[in-house]
Amino acid sequence: MLRTLITNIGELTTNIGVPGDPCGTIRDGAVLIEGGRIAWVGSAGDPELLGLGRIPSVGAQDARPSGGIAPRTGPSGGIAPQTGPGGGIAPQTGAGGGIAPQTGVGGGDAQAAAAIEIVDAGGRAVIPGFVDSHTHLVFGGDRAEEFEARMSGTPYAAGGIRGTVAATRAANDDELRRRLAGFVAEARALGTTTLEIKTGYGLTVQDEQRLARLAAEVTPEVTFLGGHVVPDEYADRRDEYVELVCGAMLDACAPHARWIDVFCEAGAFTPEESRRILAAGIARGLDARVHGNQLGPGEGARIAAALGAASVDHCTFLDDADVAALAASGTVATLLPGVEFSTRQPYPDARRLIDAGVTVALASDCNPGSSFTTSMPLVVALAVREMGMTSAEAVWAATAGGARALRRDDIGVIAPGTRADLALLDAPSRMHLAYRPGVPLVVSVWKDGVLS
């Protein structure tokens, strides 16, 4: 089994927090990948790591900003671990979950002969792959004219979703699949290794089912959002549409989905309708998440907290009771600053939430109407500039926070046993994601240990 050692990492963000450093920063760090998982994390000078010098290497490589990983030749072309007293990498239990398999010369002849691919990070920073826990990536058409109107002063309203519904219904599966693949590749190049994808632009049984099916082709984190808006054909029959969402539509989508969501907002669904939709999904075996408190004050956050939802997303307009309910429940507040950038609404106050003990995640909300971006680095920069977050808090929220919003403990952190989802930055520190907005700093991405 080929193993990959990334070493000479100037700043390694593990997200295994220590007092005063929620990012669990390791300077001059190294990471060993084996079988798609993290096998070892520590200092590049650790005696256990130095023991890898006794194992055959397939050659050192250099992580170059111009195009990811480029081979280097010759004995001086990279980091060559020296033989040391550690004798290999010992199993590690840690906050990241699980015990790493024994590696190194002590693990038997087969393991001793296993080659190690060595990647020289060149003093650059490595972070966990971004976890984008809120997207709407399966759709037809766009709404550029709506964006232009907003920039001229027209306020955002939920009703624009219906335009995307019409375009999505008109698109065939191949068109939707092709666009989805493009968005996934775009996000991956920007450092995102996990995506949640919602339905919600079909709003018929057949169309919602196909959106869920297409999303499931690229991610296990599929959310059924039949409760997005009431489609035009049900404008005078709201109760019938809610019944459809809770019945035949849910039955068709649930086999492809993990989550149930609802847009609890003026112009979308009332609190009573939202509770009914969420309860039906929970009864069907799906976990809950909520769109809430985006366009004005409302009950979305408190409904999410009361139901034990994994996350309530947007959270632009929260009162003290909402914040207290979230802090007490453990429901994650997922903030979507790309929406405020695109709609010119007020940004949510992340500082208030963090200081109150609420877990905060950041996500892109990539959709054609209110936040047409797949860039989690942009989201991090906006959170730091506009929402009172430090760069460390923002990177944590965009990685470990997103994992919490998806109730995952195998992503968003770099620790033994977790998935080897990593992003290498062409920068000495994660701080540069906010310090250098708009600059393509992600130069290499590993998903399940595979360079992509």
Side-chain angles (χ1 to χ4, degrees), residues 62-70 124 424-426 440-444:
D62 175 33
R64 296 183 180 178
S66 59
I69 304 300
R124 301 180 183 93
L424 174 69
L425 308 180
D426 186 25
L441 294 180
V442 176
V443 292
S444 297

Side-chain angles (χ1 to χ4, degrees), residues 330-353:
T331 295
V332 175
T334 299
L335 309 184
L336 312 168
V339 173
E340 284 72 40
F341 177 85
S342 180
T343 63
R344 288 184 166 169
Q345 286 187 271
Y347 285 89
D349 187 349
R351 181 82 273 132
R352 176 190 183 197
L353 289 163

Side-chain angles (χ1 to χ4, degrees), residues 103-289:
T103 60
V105 297
D109 292 341
Q111 286 179 324
I116 289 184
E117 174 187 58
I118 301 174
V119 175
D120 181 1
R124 301 180 183 93
V126 170
I127 64 172
F130 292 118
V131 180
D132 193 348
S133 62
H134 184 133
T135 80
H136 306 251
L137 295 182
V138 192
F139 62 85
D142 70 26
R143 283 149 64 187
E145 292 182 359
E146 180 184 317
F147 174 81
E148 182 74 7
R150 284 201 305 273
M151 296 304 101
S152 300
T154 302
Y156 173 76
I161 293 166
R162 294 181 180 88
T164 300
V165 170
T168 303
R169 290 176 178 179
N172 62 41
D173 282 13
D174 287 341
E175 291 175 283
L176 295 175
R177 184 181 284 113
R178 187 162 48 248
R179 293 196 77 187
L180 173 59
F183 293 137
V184 171
E186 187 177 272
R188 180 67 56 80
L190 293 164
T192 297
T193 51
T194 301
L195 286 161
E196 180 264 10
I197 302 176
K198 303 178 190 298
T199 71
Y201 291 131
L203 307 187
T204 67
V205 172
Q206 179 180 353
D207 284 305
E208 283 294 291
Q209 189 273 346
R210 73 178 180 130
L211 299 190
R213 173 173 48 81
L214 291 170
E217 292 177 2
V218 301
T219 182
E221 303 297 343
V222 178
T223 298
F224 168 52
L225 185 59
H228 204 182
V229 293
V230 177
D232 289 338
E233 63 268 29
Y234 282 91
D236 298 322
R237 298 179 291 145
R238 293 183 63 90
D239 287 346
E240 289 183 35
Y241 183 70
V242 172
E243 181 65 29
L244 182 69
V245 172
C246 295
M249 194 181 289
L250 173 61
D251 289 340
C253 293
H256 307 283
R258 183 184 174 201
W259 303 96
I260 179 82
D261 198 348
V262 65
F263 193 9
C264 181
E265 200 75 57
F269 291 87
T270 68
E272 293 74 20
E273 292 166 341
S274 298
R275 290 188 186 94
R276 182 180 173 190
I277 290 169
L278 292 169
I282 292 169
R284 191 67 170 74
L286 302 181
D287 290 329
R289 34 197 343 101

Side-chain angles (χ1 to χ4, degrees), residues 347-374:
Y347 285 89
D349 187 349
R351 181 82 273 132
R352 176 190 183 197
L353 289 163
I354 293 169
D355 290 348
V358 178
T359 299
V360 170
L362 292 172
S364 73
D365 193 10
C366 183
N367 75 86
S370 61
S371 182
F372 201 3
T373 180
T374 54

Side-chain angles (χ1 to χ4, degrees), residues 9-13 23 25-27 123-127 380 391-392 395 423-436 441:
I9 301 169
E11 178 190 82
L12 175 61
T13 297
C23 287
T25 307
I26 297 176
R27 308 289 177 185
R124 301 180 183 93
V126 170
I127 64 172
V380 167
S391 58
V395 170
L424 174 69
L425 308 180
D426 186 25
S429 168
R430 58 181 172 259
M431 187 182 303
H432 283 235
L433 291 166
Y435 177 47
R436 303 194 68 205
L441 294 180

Side-chain angles (χ1 to χ4, degrees), residues 47-74:
E48 290 181 319
L49 184 62
L50 297 178
L52 287 173
R54 299 169 60 189
I55 300 176
S57 168
V58 297
Q61 298 182 347
D62 175 33
R64 296 183 180 178
S66 59
I69 304 300
R72 297 178 68 177
T73 59

